[in-house]
Amino acid sequence: MAATAGRCMNPRFMDPESMKCTISSSPSYTSSRQSQVQFSNQRHQFCSLSMNGCQSEPRAPIGTIETRTFPPVLTPALAMDSLNSAISEMKSEPPPFDSGIIRLEVPIQQQIEAIDWLHAQKELLPRCFFSGRNPSQFSDRFIDYTNGNNRSPSVEHRLISVAGVGSAVYFHHSHPFSLDDWRSIKRFLSKKCPLIRAYGAIRFDARADISSEWRSFGSFYFIVPQVELDELEGSSMLATTVAWDTALSWKYGEAITALQSTLQQVSSMVTRLQKEVPYPCILSNNYIPSKVYWDVAVNRSLQMINRKNSPLIKVVLARSTRVVTSTDIDPLAWLACLQVEGGNSYQFCLQPPDAPAFIGNTPEQLFHQKGYDICSEALAGTRARGRSEAMDLQIENDLLSSAKDHQEFTIVQECIRRKLEASNLGYAVCVRVSLEAKKAIRKLPRVQHLYAPLTGRLRSEDDEFKVLSSLHPTPAVCGFPTEEARILIAETEMFDRGMYAGPVGWFGGGESEFAVGIRSALVERGLGALIYAGTGIVEGSNSSLEWEELELKTSQTMVIWQQMHAGDMMRFLE
């Protein structure tokens, strides 16, 4: 489903929420949530492409968006049987629409860890993984299904993690993520089908040149998986999604055949992924920048911050650490061990075909939107955890009383609030914003941060793109003012951040959630890993102390490998 070259016209989009939908059901499966949409009479012209919504920029609404839920089964193998049978029936009875997206899902009456299932799929690419926080800000986020007949009461299970392979439809380009790109994604989504979601990431700075290691990701990369395992609280769900659009030269029959091909490669055998992995000998590591150049960069930034009449208050400088090991690093084994310490963090993995795996365990939420409600947070300042309760409390008090960290935290908090209250797109995104008046401490297993939540009420449910474009990048990963800090970063840093510090998450029907892609690494077969970390530079910063903070954030990997050698569990990037 790769794009082919072609000349692209630019017809007008139809707003997805302006579509007139009717809900219907079918007796051939347990439950159906279907939106049947009539095409506009407007004539559309498209790029000469295959199935890639963003490059083609189609304007016509999708003909059908539907979820079919089948009776629960006991094992993944039985779920595969149900899906294969249903897909065979679908192939013989094509729907009367030139475009559409249909999700088939089979509940499994046992809880299977999504990352274990994903690891069982070996090298089947593309693949994605996303695990949200526990508990979620919106604690009523549940998956409902009946237990096999329409007379039975519904069962509610909280969604924990999602793992997916293959792409029913993907969205990818080298140009900056735009409103038209967002509309292309939303074209395949509906509130009636909340688990049809597009998972992916956006570059930290789309205007910066893309380096070779990030080339397959482009400026943004999102996929709706062909096959996915949803890990629920107390149960699981295996699902397949088929998407087609005749106008994009991707017909229904071709989409079904592609899905069947992917299913043939999917394993229904799932074994628990060990949280202990063989010790990989570190052959070399290399910092970009070196300590000498880091000192130069920090001092130059401080000169600009302290310059008379300079608007720059803060800039976040980052470091890339290339680690080469004697054996390949398994990104999913690494990620599985992140979950051990990830109670207040997001875990993610995104890997396009023929590309490294971008993995991370980030404590920082960009935003979570559900209907008109939105939440975000300010997170800044970093200290290690104490070895004793008394030492930990002493470090916490030092962080709370630090003038430098307070200034950094206040910049982040106020900037997020202002961005939500006054969008740069012409009007306020939120009708109101509430924030905690007092800063608190968020404690993670290895570090602790200053923290405060923000909540708001959106003017429109369609303001996802406005929220995303307003909040990214936050002062916690870029600086303040944003544009001055971005320019300084582009002039100073000697490596490509790629998706590091960019938005990572998903769009769904009426809901979306994005984290900030920090505490992350790019893992490539035969090349080891690139580990990224950054630190905020404000008035009063000291280059050596900031370097020590980078060491705190990245040297955990080295410590962990030593612990793994001693037989301890792997912990990293905290």
Side-chain angles (χ1 to χ4, degrees):
M1 295 171 66
T4 58
R7 184 166 59 92
C8 186
M9 306 302 290
N10 192 30
R12 183 185 175 200
F13 263 103
M14 177 177 286
D15 191 331
E17 287 303 310
S18 69
M19 302 173 184
K20 295 183 178 180
C21 302
T22 59
I23 310 303
S24 64
S25 60
S26 169
S28 61
Y29 43 85
T30 303
S31 68
S32 174
R33 299 182 291 276
Q34 182 174 4
S35 302
Q36 294 186 338
V37 184
Q38 296 300 317
F39 278 84
S40 165
N41 291 327
Q42 180 181 358
R43 184 175 179 179
H44 300 277
Q45 300 181 51
F46 301 92
C47 294
S48 176
L49 299 170
S50 60
M51 194 70 170
N52 184 328
C54 288
Q55 289 186 342
S56 62
E57 298 182 1
R59 271 39 176 180
I62 291 295
T64 182
I65 303 177
E66 181 181 352
T67 295
R68 302 177 183 180
T69 303
F70 295 85
V73 297
L74 295 175
T75 66
L78 292 174
M80 288 284 288
D81 290 341
S82 295
L83 291 172
N84 279 314
S85 177
I87 292 167
S88 296
E89 291 183 13
M90 289 174 61
K91 192 168 187 176
S92 62
E93 299 178 3
F97 298 102
D98 290 332
S99 64
I101 185 166
I102 298 175
R103 173 185 164 99
L104 309 177
E105 56 187 30
V106 180
I108 302 172
Q109 294 174 326
Q110 60 172 302
Q111 185 171 354
I112 299 168
E113 290 193 23
I115 199 164
D116 291 342
W117 177 87
L118 187 60
H119 196 261
Q121 309 319 315
K122 305 301 181 183
E123 297 300 319
L124 188 52
L125 299 177
R127 60 184 175 183
C128 65
F129 176 86
F130 190 84
S131 180
R133 282 180 175 163
N134 182 22
S136 169
Q137 173 75 15
F138 301 117
S139 58
D140 60 339
R141 185 167 47 139
F142 288 92
I143 311 306
D144 301 341
Y145 57 80
T146 65
N147 65 0
N149 63 76
N150 292 326
R151 294 186 301 273
S152 300
S154 65
V155 182
E156 295 183 335
H157 296 259
R158 190 177 61 83
L159 181 61
I160 297 174
S161 302
V162 173
V165 294
S167 60
V169 56
Y170 72 93
F171 309 89
H172 168 262
H173 209 285
S174 58
H175 67 230
F177 188 68
S178 68
L179 180 60
D180 281 352
D181 299 322
W182 174 79
R183 285 171 170 164
S184 292
I185 295 174
K186 295 292 286 186
R187 182 171 175 256
F188 289 88
L189 308 177
S190 169
K191 287 193 288 186
K192 299 299 179 182
C193 305
L195 287 186
I196 297 179
R197 293 174 173 177
Y199 296 89
I202 300 171
R203 280 177 64 81
F204 169 77
D205 185 356
R207 287 168 283 187
D209 292 338
I210 301 176
S211 59
S212 58
E213 68 267 21
W214 289 104
R215 189 166 294 132
S216 295
F217 292 84
S219 182
F220 58 91
Y221 186 89
F222 287 90
I223 63 169
V224 177
Q226 274 184 315
V227 185
E228 70 179 64
L229 190 285
D230 298 337
E231 179 186 346
L232 309 174
E233 198 172 57
S235 67
S236 310
M237 186 180 293
L238 189 66
T240 61
T241 302
V242 58
W244 71 98
D245 192 338
T246 302
L248 300 179
S249 301
W250 188 247
K251 297 180 181 179
Y252 177 80
E254 294 173 304
I256 289 287
T257 300
L259 174 57
Q260 289 177 317
S261 176
T262 300
L263 276 174
Q264 288 177 357
Q265 303 174 66
V266 172
S267 172
S268 58
M269 299 294 293
V270 181
T271 57
R272 286 191 63 84
L273 187 57
Q274 290 186 342
K275 303 301 191 290
E276 298 176 12
V277 295
Y279 172 67
C281 178
I282 300 171
L283 300 179
S284 65
N285 64 77
N286 181 50
Y287 297 135
I288 300 178
S290 66
K291 176 62 166 62
V292 172
Y293 190 83
W294 172 261
D295 290 340
V296 172
V298 171
N299 290 332
R300 180 189 175 210
S301 300
L302 288 172
Q303 288 175 4
M304 296 189 68
I305 290 170
N306 295 325
R307 186 179 299 166
K308 187 176 181 180
N309 298 325
S310 171
L312 188 66
I313 298 174
K314 172 186 177 180
V315 64
V316 178
L317 298 181
R319 187 182 75 182
S320 167
T321 304
R322 164 70 76 178
V323 177
V324 178
T325 57
S326 58
T327 58
D328 285 336
I329 301 170
D330 184 337
L332 292 182
W334 210 349
L335 191 61
C337 298
L338 299 182
Q339 293 184 291
V340 175
E341 298 187 348
N344 267 329
S345 298
Y346 296 90
Q347 293 85 43
F348 61 84
C349 174
L350 185 67
Q351 188 171 15
D354 302 317
F358 180 47
I359 66 170
N361 182 47
T362 173
E364 187 168 346
Q365 179 188 74
L366 186 62
F367 73 91
H368 184 183
Q369 171 265 335
K370 186 173 184 180
Y372 288 93
D373 295 318
I374 184 171
C375 61
S376 184
E377 65 186 25
L379 198 73
T382 303
R383 293 288 191 281
R385 295 296 303 274
R387 294 184 178 181
S388 66
E389 186 174 343
M391 184 178 294
D392 195 60
L393 180 59
Q394 181 180 341
I395 294 172
E396 173 186 331
N397 290 332
D398 176 69
L399 180 58
L400 285 169
S401 60
S402 166
K404 181 260 184 187
D405 290 292
H406 176 75
Q407 179 189 11
E408 188 176 345
F409 172 79
T410 301
I411 290 170
V412 173
Q413 185 183 47
E414 284 300 304
C415 185
I416 293 174
R417 180 183 63 81
R418 290 173 184 174
K419 285 182 175 182
L420 289 175
E421 288 180 340
S423 170
N424 59 4
L425 296 180
Y427 69 93
V429 173
C430 292
V431 293
R432 67 172 184 272
V433 177
S434 302
L435 68 160
E436 291 287 338
K438 186 178 180 181
K439 62 187 178 186
I441 294 289
R442 167 163 287 169
K443 291 183 181 289
L444 299 169
R446 294 181 180 273
V447 295
Q448 47 192 318
H449 304 284
L450 295 174
Y451 159 82
L454 298 89
T455 58
R457 183 74 174 172
L458 296 174
R459 290 187 178 275
S460 168
E461 291 182 81
D462 293 338
D463 277 345
E464 282 173 320
F465 179 78
K466 296 182 178 67
V467 171
L468 185 60
S469 61
S470 294
L471 290 183
H472 173 74
T474 70
V477 294
C478 181
F480 185 82
T482 301
E483 186 58 18
E484 285 80 356
R486 186 199 67 79
I487 292 172
L488 181 56
I489 290 170
E491 293 175 346
T492 304
E493 291 183 353
M494 300 180 294
F495 66 94
D496 179 16
R497 289 193 181 191
M499 269 64 181
Y500 162 71
V504 181
W506 53 269
F507 294 108
E511 186 176 4
S512 57
E513 184 167 23
F514 282 85
V516 181
I518 58 173
R519 312 292 163 82
S520 54
L522 199 62
V523 184
E524 188 168 10
R525 182 180 294 277
L527 294 175
L530 283 166
I531 305 167
Y532 302 95
T535 181
I537 309 301
V538 297
E539 184 179 0
S541 291
N542 177 282
S543 64
S544 294
L545 294 178
E546 301 303 335
W547 183 266
E548 289 178 11
E549 183 170 324
L550 294 176
E551 290 287 275
L552 175 64
K553 292 175 177 176
T554 60
S555 66
Q556 299 303 319
T557 306
M558 313 300 180
V559 173
I560 290 157
W561 278 330
Q562 293 169 2
Q563 290 174 341
M564 288 157 49
H565 187 45
D568 290 341
M569 285 188 178
M570 182 180 187
R571 301 179 179 91
F572 121 100
L573 292 178
E574 282 296 351

